[in-house]
Amino acid sequence: MLLDVNTLLVVTVANIVTLALVSPAVMGLRLGAAARAARWSIVVHAVGWACMIASNFWPETWMDRWLSTMAVAGFAVTHWLLYVALAHWLGPRRFRPAVIALSILTPVGYFAVFGSYALRVGWANLLLAVQLLLVTWACFRPTTTLHGPWRMVLAGGMTGIAVLTAGRGVLGAFTDVYPTFLTPHPWNIAAMFLTSLLPVLMNFAVLGGWHEEAETALHKLAITDTLTGLLNRRGWHEVALPLIAHASRLGQPVSLLMIDIDFFKSINDRYGHDAGDRALQAMGALLRENRRAHDVAARIGGEEFCLLLPSCTAEAASDIDQRLRQRLPAIGADLGFPLDFSAGLAVRQPQETLERLMTRADTALYAAKDGGRGCLVSAESPSPQPEKPL
Ligand SMILES: Nc1nc2c(ncn2[C@@H]2O[C@H](COP(=O)(O)OP(=O)(O)OP(=O)(O)O)[C@@H](O)[C@H]2O)c(=O)[nH]1
């Protein structure tokens, strides 16, 4: 079987152009910033290769110089756009200035030294390889919740292309075995073969990142109460259950405040449903702004909220309840009508499940309602038992 560079070049360009053309059909047109950057990287990559092919029709002319420079610029910008996508998906990445600088310096330098084959091949390929390695580095250590294995596929593909590109640069700059882009040198054939394969793999990985982003956003939506921005009942269980299990293992106290806005129905009836919604939002903001990093706040029903307080005794939870109440007059002034709440407090007993803890806090809450509202009632604790991890 004969693998000639021309055929491989055609296959490479056909692959990349096809990917660029079908990507809107696969990914749709309404994309987030990361997926948009990733999709543009496919398009720019295709344009780069088209320029590279076109340049071969006018060898060693000004046309060649311009088209080849456009190709090099296309590859450098492709890497930069992949970096942008990774920064959106995985959080701020290192080496940003270097990646940007390389996407400018690489084509500018290439254009300037175009007259010397060794210089231009060495310059462009080695700088593109360095840039690719910097973008590869950006696949690691995510600071967001995205951490899927697609990052390793992308990093592997980019490392492969970086090594082959660097090899081309070294051969072109320091030897005479690689006189043109189409030379059938084994390294060039290997590079062209993998250049046709790796972009497909990398674009597959990009789809993995896009999928993980969408899945994470959907999950966030599923566990968030849209009105207050707090966790909803589903999210509450998802976050509170492991937190209780963790506290149980460490033998730490956990308190639960169950909070219910007083006379909420009459707020709706008297001031309208919008005012009721604003009251719920104000309550959500009050809980969000007054919780510590590990406290869990959720809206678990119409006007019912939960605040789970790890490492918090009954006295500390009661202080928190007081602190929340001190803010109520200011909130009422903002809303244009008074806002008050009743609360039930339960401190988790050894072996107690989340469900049982909530039932006790709820009973205490009803006692607060029966006792005239606008106050905190603490649940009566069942008799303590020795703690075993859940
Ligand atoms: N504006 C608004 N109202 C809601 C929402 N969810 C539930 N409600 C209303 O909340 C009201 C709850 O009424 P009740 O359960 O009688 O509670 P309450 O009037 O606060 O009575 P107490 O708890 O005994 O003080 C109902 O009228 C529901 O329609 C919401 O998202 N927005």
Side-chain angles (χ1 to χ4, degrees), residues 137-308:
W137 187 264
C139 293
F140 300 98
R141 294 171 177 261
T143 56
T144 62
T145 53
L146 269 65
H147 58 270
W150 56 269
R151 295 176 300 123
M152 300 308 134
V153 177
L154 191 57
M158 288 194 292
T159 307
I161 297 183
V163 169
L164 293 165
T165 307
R168 263 186 176 156
V170 170
L171 288 179
F174 304 111
T175 72
D176 54 6
V177 298
Y178 179 37
T180 79
F181 182 71
L182 300 172
T183 303
H185 185 275
W187 189 276
N188 204 24
I189 292 173
M192 279 318 301
F193 176 73
L194 285 174
T195 304
S196 70
L197 184 72
L198 293 177
V200 178
L201 204 67
M202 283 162 59
N203 285 304
F204 209 49
V206 159
L207 291 183
W210 178 54
H211 176 256
E212 193 184 6
E213 180 193 17
E215 203 177 37
T216 307
L218 215 61
H219 178 249
K220 192 166 176 220
L221 214 62
I223 63 168
T224 304
D225 169 48
T226 40
L227 190 64
T228 60
L230 298 181
L231 291 171
N232 60 18
R233 184 174 271 273
R234 179 201 292 253
W236 163 254
H237 280 99
E238 206 173 297
V239 178
L241 279 170
L243 197 145
I244 294 262
H246 182 71
S248 172
R249 271 195 302 278
L250 300 181
Q252 286 174 345
V254 181
S255 294
L256 171 63
L257 276 175
M258 201 170 270
I259 292 169
D260 188 285
I261 299 178
D262 290 334
F263 301 115
F264 187 66
K265 189 173 180 316
S266 29
I267 294 177
N268 269 339
D269 293 346
R270 211 160 145 200
Y271 304 100
H273 201 269
D274 282 355
D277 282 357
R278 284 196 292 115
L280 290 170
Q281 285 168 332
M283 195 68 212
L286 178 67
L287 296 183
R288 197 169 35 246
E289 285 158 17
N290 285 280
R291 69 178 167 186
R292 297 165 305 171
H294 293 101
D295 296 345
V296 182
R299 179 184 173 209
I300 58 160
E303 84 285 20
E304 200 163 322
F305 295 83
C306 274
L307 189 57
L308 192 67

Side-chain angles (χ1 to χ4, degrees), residues 6 48 62 92 247 274 282 335 352 360:
N6 268 314
W62 268 95
D274 282 355
L335 289 171
E352 193 170 45
R360 286 198 304 115

Side-chain angles (χ1 to χ4, degrees), residues 245 247-249 251 348-352 385-390:
S248 172
R249 271 195 302 278
R348 183 177 170 267
Q349 300 300 305
Q351 307 301 324
E352 193 170 45
Q385 296 168 17
E387 174 81 321
K388 277 189 250 137
L390 285 177

